[in-house]
Coordinates of all heavy atoms in Angstrom, one line a residue:
Chain N
Y83 N -43.0 -25.6 114.8 CA -42.6 -25.8 116.2 C -43.7 -26.8 116.7 O -44.9 -26.6 116.6 CB -42.7 -24.6 117.0 CG -42.5 -24.9 118.5 CD1 -41.3 -25.5 119.0 CD2 -43.5 -24.6 119.4 CE1 -41.2 -25.8 120.3 CE2 -43.4 -25.0 120.7 CZ -42.2 -25.5 121.2 OH -42.0 -25.9 122.5
E85 N -44.5 -29.6 120.0 CA -44.2 -30.4 121.2 C -45.0 -31.7 121.1 O -46.2 -31.7 121.2 CB -44.6 -29.6 122.4 CG -43.4 -29.4 123.3 CD -43.8 -28.6 124.5 OE1 -44.2 -27.4 124.4 OE2 -43.8 -29.2 125.6
P86 N -44.3 -32.8 120.8 CA -44.9 -34.0 120.3 C -45.9 -34.5 121.3 O -46.9 -35.1 121.0 CB -43.8 -34.9 120.1 CG -42.6 -34.4 120.8 CD -42.8 -32.9 120.9
A87 N -45.6 -34.4 122.6 CA -46.5 -35.0 123.6 C -47.9 -34.4 123.6 O -48.8 -34.9 124.2 CB -45.9 -34.9 125.0
S88 N -48.0 -33.2 123.0 CA -49.3 -32.5 123.0 C -50.2 -32.9 121.8 O -51.2 -32.4 121.6 CB -49.1 -31.0 122.9 OG -48.1 -30.6 123.8
E99 N -37.5 -20.6 110.5 CA -36.8 -20.2 111.8 C -36.0 -21.4 112.3 O -34.9 -21.1 112.8 CB -37.9 -19.8 112.8 CG -37.4 -19.0 114.0 CD -37.0 -19.8 115.2 OE1 -37.7 -20.8 115.4 OE2 -36.1 -19.4 116.0
N100 N -36.5 -22.6 112.2 CA -35.7 -23.8 112.7 C -34.4 -23.9 112.0 O -33.4 -24.2 112.6 CB -36.5 -25.0 112.5 CG -37.7 -25.2 113.5 OD1 -37.6 -24.6 114.6 ND2 -38.7 -25.8 113.0
T106 N -27.1 -21.1 112.9 CA -26.3 -20.2 113.7 C -26.1 -20.7 115.1 O -25.6 -20.0 116.0 CB -27.1 -18.9 113.8 OG1 -28.4 -19.1 114.3 CG2 -27.2 -18.2 112.5
D107 N -26.5 -22.0 115.3 CA -26.4 -22.6 116.7 C -25.0 -23.1 117.0 O -24.5 -24.0 116.2 CB -27.5 -23.7 116.8 CG -27.4 -24.4 118.1 OD1 -26.8 -23.8 119.1 OD2 -28.0 -25.4 118.3
D108 N -24.4 -22.7 118.0 CA -23.0 -23.1 118.2 C -23.0 -24.6 118.7 O -22.0 -25.3 118.5 CB -22.2 -22.2 119.2 CG -23.0 -22.0 120.5 OD1 -24.2 -22.3 120.5 OD2 -22.5 -21.4 121.4
S174 N -11.5 -47.6 130.4 CA -11.8 -47.2 131.7 C -10.6 -46.6 132.4 O -9.5 -47.1 132.2 CB -12.4 -48.3 132.5 OG -12.2 -48.1 133.9
R175 N -10.8 -45.5 133.1 CA -9.6 -44.7 133.6 C -8.8 -45.5 134.6 O -7.6 -45.6 134.5 CB -10.1 -43.4 134.3 CG -8.9 -42.5 134.7 CD -9.4 -41.4 135.5 NE -9.8 -41.8 136.8 CZ -10.4 -41.0 137.7 NH1 -10.7 -39.8 137.4 NH2 -10.8 -41.5 138.9
F177 N -9.4 -48.8 135.8 CA -9.3 -50.3 135.7 C -9.3 -50.8 134.3 O -9.5 -52.0 134.0 CB -10.6 -50.9 136.4 CG -10.9 -50.2 137.7 CD1 -11.9 -49.3 137.8 CD2 -10.1 -50.5 138.8 CE1 -12.2 -48.7 139.0 CE2 -10.3 -49.9 140.0 CZ -11.4 -49.0 140.1
R212 N -12.1 -37.3 129.3 CA -11.8 -35.9 129.3 C -12.1 -35.4 127.8 O -11.9 -36.1 126.9 CB -10.4 -35.6 129.6 CG -10.0 -36.0 131.1 CD -9.5 -34.8 131.9 NE -10.2 -33.6 131.7 CZ -11.4 -33.3 132.4 NH1 -11.9 -34.2 133.2 NH2 -12.0 -32.2 132.2
E303 N -18.4 -31.3 128.1 CA -18.4 -30.2 127.2 C -18.8 -30.7 125.8 O -18.4 -30.1 124.8 CB -17.0 -29.6 127.1 CG -16.6 -29.1 128.4 CD -15.3 -28.2 128.4 OE1 -14.5 -28.4 127.5 OE2 -15.2 -27.3 129.2
Q304 N -19.6 -31.7 125.7 CA -20.2 -32.2 124.4 C -19.1 -32.6 123.4 O -19.3 -32.5 122.2 CB -21.1 -31.2 123.8 CG -22.1 -30.7 124.9 CD -23.1 -29.8 124.3 OE1 -23.4 -29.8 123.1 NE2 -23.8 -29.0 125.1
Y314 N -30.9 -36.2 117.8 CA -31.6 -37.1 118.7 C -31.9 -36.3 120.0 O -33.0 -36.3 120.5 CB -30.8 -38.3 119.0 CG -31.4 -39.2 120.1 CD1 -32.4 -40.1 119.7 CD2 -31.0 -39.1 121.4 CE1 -32.9 -40.9 120.7 CE2 -31.6 -39.9 122.4 CZ -32.5 -40.8 122.0 OH -33.1 -41.6 123.0
F318 N -35.5 -35.7 121.5 CA -36.1 -36.5 122.5 C -35.7 -36.0 123.9 O -36.3 -36.4 124.9 CB -35.6 -38.0 122.4 CG -36.3 -38.7 121.3 CD1 -35.8 -38.8 120.0 CD2 -37.7 -39.1 121.4 CE1 -36.4 -39.4 119.0 CE2 -38.3 -39.7 120.4 CZ -37.7 -39.9 119.2
V319 N -34.7 -35.2 124.1 CA -34.4 -34.7 125.4 C -35.0 -33.3 125.5 O -35.6 -33.0 126.5 CB -32.8 -34.6 125.7 CG1 -32.6 -34.0 127.0 CG2 -32.3 -36.0 125.6
D322 N -38.0 -30.9 121.1 CA -38.2 -29.9 120.0 C -38.1 -30.7 118.6 O -37.0 -30.7 118.0 CB -37.2 -28.8 120.1 CG -37.5 -27.7 119.1 OD1 -38.3 -27.9 118.2 OD2 -36.8 -26.6 119.2
T325 N -37.1 -28.4 115.2 CA -35.6 -28.1 115.0 C -34.9 -29.4 114.7 O -33.9 -29.4 113.9 CB -35.1 -27.5 116.3 OG1 -35.9 -26.4 116.6 CG2 -33.7 -26.9 116.1
Chain J
K7 N -68.6 -66.8 94.3 CA -67.3 -66.8 95.1 C -67.3 -65.6 96.0 O -67.0 -65.7 97.2 CB -66.1 -66.7 94.2 CG -65.1 -67.8 94.4 CD -63.9 -67.4 93.6 CE -63.2 -68.6 93.0 NZ -62.2 -68.2 92.0
N73 N -39.5 -42.5 125.2 CA -39.6 -42.2 123.8 C -40.8 -42.7 123.1 O -41.5 -42.1 122.4 CB -38.3 -42.6 123.0 CG -37.1 -41.8 123.3 OD1 -37.2 -40.8 124.0 ND2 -35.9 -42.3 122.9
A80 N -47.9 -38.3 120.7 CA -47.8 -37.5 119.5 C -48.8 -37.9 118.4 O -49.5 -37.1 117.8 CB -46.4 -37.4 118.9
R98 N -42.9 -32.5 131.4 CA -43.3 -32.3 130.0 C -44.6 -33.0 129.7 O -45.4 -32.5 129.0 CB -42.1 -32.9 129.1 CG -42.2 -32.3 127.7 CD -41.2 -33.1 126.8 NE -39.9 -33.2 127.4 CZ -39.0 -34.1 126.9 NH1 -39.3 -34.9 126.0 NH2 -37.8 -34.1 127.5
S102 N -48.5 -31.6 128.5 CA -48.7 -31.9 127.1 C -50.2 -31.8 126.7 O -50.5 -31.5 125.6 CB -48.2 -33.3 126.8 OG -49.1 -34.2 127.4
A242 N -13.2 -37.7 143.2 CA -12.5 -38.7 142.4 C -12.6 -38.4 140.9 O -12.1 -39.1 140.1 CB -13.1 -40.1 142.7
Q243 N -13.4 -37.4 140.6 CA -13.6 -37.0 139.2 C -14.2 -38.1 138.4 O -13.7 -38.3 137.3 CB -12.3 -36.5 138.6 CG -11.7 -35.3 139.4 CD -10.5 -34.7 138.6 OE1 -10.5 -34.7 137.4 NE2 -9.6 -34.0 139.3
E250 N -15.9 -46.7 136.9 CA -15.0 -46.2 138.0 C -15.8 -45.9 139.2 O -15.4 -46.0 140.3 CB -14.3 -44.9 137.5 CG -13.1 -45.1 136.7 CD -13.5 -45.3 135.2 OE1 -14.6 -45.1 134.9 OE2 -12.6 -45.7 134.5
E253 N -16.9 -49.2 141.0 CA -15.7 -49.8 141.5 C -15.3 -49.0 142.7 O -14.8 -49.5 143.8 CB -14.6 -49.9 140.5 CG -14.7 -51.1 139.6 CD -14.7 -52.4 140.3 OE1 -13.8 -52.5 141.2 OE2 -15.5 -53.3 140.0
R257 N -14.8 -50.5 146.3 CA -13.5 -50.6 147.0 C -13.3 -49.6 148.1 O -12.3 -49.6 148.7 CB -12.4 -50.5 146.0 CG -12.5 -51.5 144.9 CD -11.4 -51.3 143.8 NE -11.7 -52.1 142.7 CZ -10.7 -52.6 141.9 NH1 -9.5 -52.3 142.1 NH2 -11.0 -53.4 140.9
K381 N -40.0 -27.0 131.1 CA -39.7 -27.9 130.0 C -38.3 -27.7 129.5 O -37.8 -28.6 128.8 CB -40.7 -27.7 128.8 CG -40.7 -26.3 128.2 CD -41.6 -26.3 127.0 CE -41.6 -24.9 126.4 NZ -42.5 -24.8 125.2
V385 N -32.2 -28.6 129.0 CA -31.3 -27.7 128.3 C -30.4 -26.9 129.2 O -29.2 -26.8 129.1 CB -32.1 -26.8 127.4 CG1 -31.2 -25.9 126.6 CG2 -33.0 -27.6 126.4
I389 N -26.3 -26.8 129.9 CA -25.5 -25.6 129.8 C -24.8 -25.3 131.1 O -23.6 -24.9 131.0 CB -26.4 -24.4 129.4 CG1 -26.9 -24.6 128.0 CG2 -25.7 -23.1 129.5 CD1 -28.1 -23.7 127.5
D392 N -21.8 -27.7 131.4 CA -20.7 -27.2 130.5 C -20.0 -26.1 131.1 O -18.8 -26.0 131.1 CB -21.2 -26.8 129.1 CG -21.6 -28.0 128.3 OD1 -21.4 -29.2 128.8 OD2 -22.2 -27.8 127.2
E395 N -17.8 -27.1 134.0 CA -16.6 -27.8 133.5 C -15.5 -26.8 133.1 O -14.4 -27.0 133.4 CB -17.0 -28.6 132.2 CG -16.0 -29.6 131.7 CD -15.6 -30.6 132.7 OE1 -16.4 -30.9 133.7 OE2 -14.5 -31.1 132.6
E399 N -12.1 -27.0 135.1 CA -10.9 -27.4 134.3 C -10.0 -26.3 133.9 O -8.8 -26.5 133.8 CB -11.4 -28.2 133.1 CG -11.8 -29.7 133.5 CD -10.7 -30.4 134.1 OE1 -9.5 -30.4 133.5 OE2 -10.9 -31.0 135.2
R400 N -10.6 -25.2 133.5 CA -9.8 -24.2 132.9 C -9.8 -22.9 133.7 O -9.5 -21.8 133.2 CB -10.3 -23.9 131.5 CG -10.0 -25.0 130.5 CD -10.4 -24.7 129.1 NE -11.8 -24.3 129.0 CZ -12.8 -25.2 128.9 NH1 -12.5 -26.5 128.9 NH2 -14.1 -24.9 128.9
Q414 N -26.8 -18.2 127.0 CA -27.0 -19.5 126.2 C -28.4 -20.0 126.4 O -29.1 -20.4 125.5 CB -26.0 -20.5 126.7 CG -24.7 -20.5 126.0 CD -24.7 -21.4 124.7 OE1 -25.8 -22.0 124.5 NE2 -23.6 -21.5 124.0
R417 N -31.0 -18.1 124.7 CA -31.1 -18.3 123.3 C -31.7 -19.6 123.0 O -32.5 -19.7 122.0 CB -29.6 -18.3 122.8 CG -29.5 -18.5 121.3 CD -28.0 -18.5 120.9 NE -27.8 -19.5 119.9 CZ -28.3 -19.4 118.6 NH1 -28.9 -18.4 118.2 NH2 -28.1 -20.4 117.8
R418 N -31.5 -20.7 123.7 CA -32.0 -22.0 123.4 C -33.4 -22.2 123.9 O -34.1 -23.0 123.3 CB -31.1 -23.1 124.0 CG -29.6 -22.9 123.7 CD -28.9 -24.1 123.9 NE -29.3 -25.1 122.9 CZ -28.7 -25.2 121.7 NH1 -27.8 -24.4 121.4 NH2 -29.2 -26.1 120.9
R420 N -35.9 -20.5 123.4 CA -36.5 -19.4 122.7 C -38.0 -19.4 122.6 O -38.6 -18.5 122.2 CB -35.9 -19.3 121.3 CG -36.1 -20.5 120.4 CD -35.1 -20.5 119.3 NE -35.5 -21.3 118.2 CZ -35.4 -22.7 118.1 NH1 -35.0 -23.3 119.2 NH2 -35.8 -23.3 117.1
R421 N -38.6 -20.5 123.0 CA -40.0 -20.6 122.9 C -40.6 -20.9 124.3 O -40.0 -21.6 125.0 CB -40.4 -21.7 122.0 CG -40.0 -21.4 120.6 CD -40.3 -22.7 119.7 NE -39.9 -22.4 118.3 CZ -39.0 -23.2 117.7 NH1 -38.5 -24.2 118.2 NH2 -38.8 -22.9 116.4

Side-chain angles (χ1 to χ4, degrees):
Chain N
Y83 171 63
E85 240 178 293
S88 312
E99 201 263 331
N100 288 331
T106 54
D107 178 17
D108 49 352
S174 158
R175 185 188 71 190
F177 315 104
R212 296 235 50 77
E303 300 192 333
Q304 312 183 20
Y314 174 87
F318 287 99
V319 178
D322 187 350
T325 307
Chain J
K7 235 191 215 166
N73 287 349
R98 200 191 308 162
S102 73
Q243 305 191 25
E250 278 83 12
E253 279 298 317
R257 299 176 191 210
K381 65 175 178 179
V385 181
I389 291 169
D392 286 355
E395 191 58 24
E399 278 305 307
R400 291 185 302 278
Q414 272 270 1
R417 185 181 137 71
R418 307 199 69 86
R420 62 200 199 279
R421 295 172 179 124

